[in-house]
Amino acid sequence: EPEVTQTPSHQVTQMGQEVILRCVPISNHLYFYWYRQILGQKVEFLVSFYNNEISEKSEIFDDQFSVERPDGSNFTLKIRSTKLEDSAMYFCASSEQQDAQHFGDGTRLSIL
Amino acid sequence: GENVEQHPSTLSVQEGDSAVIKCTYSDSASNYFPWYKQELGKRPQLIIDIRSNVGEKKDQRIAVTLNKTAKHFSLHITETQPEDSAVYFCAALLGNQFYFGTGTSLTVIP
């Protein structure tokens, strides 16, 4: 069964540095998403992406964040000037239509 | 935006009993409601979903019911097994954004 893959599985970064989290969605999927989950809390929507542009973003997704689909397979989340509170698990998800999402295994981001 | 509330936050049941988790939503325009199971340290996995034009959907031991008038939907797990132990999240799709509930930690006691 095809899967969403995310790299790296764990990223440790100094506060103030930039990080790029990478995702390879399932190949025939058209909708892409990034979510954040702080330890022990609920999954929080960050952004949805369709047809090479952001279709919706949450209040969390401020100017510090950006997404890109640099080629036909990768979908990246960039966090500029990281803060301690950015420490969380970041999940990428994709779907064929705007319904059943398949999640990746996540990237655990630790800001020191 | 949408506000999704989920109850209970924790639930313990004896193996073989049924478990019911409920979610309410605030915006009647929400039209798709998935349920996810998340085991410790793992990805959320879709276990069942329902669209707003359907009242009930069943898949073996798992069922979801939707009451559009009351704006609530529920997950029903029958004949629970220890491997059902996990955190369950409901969600609602409004526009292009998914809104998640706060999760229910289900423990099935052997």
Side-chain angles (χ1 to χ4, degrees):
Chain A
E1 184 178 331
E3 289 188 343
V4 174
T5 57
Q6 288 186 245
T7 55
S9 57
H10 192 190
Q11 174 80 46
V12 182
T13 301
Q14 291 288 329
M15 185 172 60
Q17 297 296 306
E18 173 183 286
V19 295
I20 297 177
L21 310 183
R22 302 180 192 280
C23 170
V24 179
I26 294 173
S27 61
N28 64 330
H29 285 186
L30 301 176
Y31 295 83
F32 314 116
Y33 309 85
W34 280 102
Y35 292 90
R36 178 180 81 177
Q37 187 176 33
I38 296 170
L39 187 63
Q41 297 187 22
K42 69 175 177 180
V43 176
E44 298 176 290
F45 171 85
L46 292 177
V47 65
S48 59
F49 192 88
Y50 172 73
N51 201 26
N52 285 319
E53 62 183 19
I54 291 173
S55 50
E56 188 129 7
K57 57 184 180 179
S58 71
E59 293 174 351
I60 302 169
F61 195 89
D62 58 20
D63 292 344
Q64 184 193 7
F65 294 87
S66 62
V67 289
E68 199 175 36
R69 188 156 163 80
D71 52 42
S73 60
N74 289 286
F75 179 51
T76 62
L77 174 69
K78 183 189 290 185
I79 310 175
R80 287 181 283 275
S81 189
T82 49
K83 299 174 282 194
L84 293 176
E85 53 265 39
D86 293 328
S87 296
M89 182 73 90
Y90 288 80
F91 289 104
C92 172
S94 70
S95 60
E96 193 172 352
Q97 298 181 30
Q98 203 171 32
D99 49 22
Q101 296 175 77
H102 295 253
F103 281 75
D105 283 332
T107 293
R108 182 170 299 283
L109 178 62
S110 300
I111 306 299
L112 303 179
Chain B
E2 174 64 279
N3 181 37
V4 176
E5 295 189 355
Q6 183 171 346
H7 300 281
S9 57
T10 60
L11 179 60
S12 292
V13 299
Q14 289 291 135
E15 183 176 358
D17 287 350
S18 295
V20 181
I21 303 170
K22 299 181 179 180
C23 285
T24 61
Y25 60 99
S26 59
D27 198 317
S28 57
S30 291
N31 58 10
Y32 171 71
F33 307 92
W35 283 92
Y36 292 90
K37 175 183 180 182
Q38 187 177 30
E39 297 176 28
L40 190 63
K42 297 195 175 180
R43 68 176 82 180
Q45 288 192 301
L46 179 71
I47 55 171
I48 198 166
D49 55 9
I50 193 166
R51 294 194 175 278
S52 58
N53 59 348
V54 176
E56 184 174 357
K57 184 176 177 181
K58 191 173 181 181
D59 182 4
Q60 299 182 335
R61 296 187 297 109
I62 296 172
V64 56
T65 58
L66 171 65
N67 184 326
K68 283 171 51 180
T69 303
K71 295 202 283 287
H72 67 71
F73 57 111
S74 300
L75 176 71
H76 304 253
I77 306 174
T78 58
E79 300 171 32
T80 52
Q81 302 165 2
E83 50 266 38
D84 294 330
S85 296
V87 177
Y88 291 80
F89 290 97
C90 64
L93 175 62
L94 177 63
N96 298 309
Q97 182 166 342
F98 282 87
Y99 295 83
F100 279 73
T102 49
T104 296
S105 178
L106 173 65
T107 302
V108 180
I109 304 165

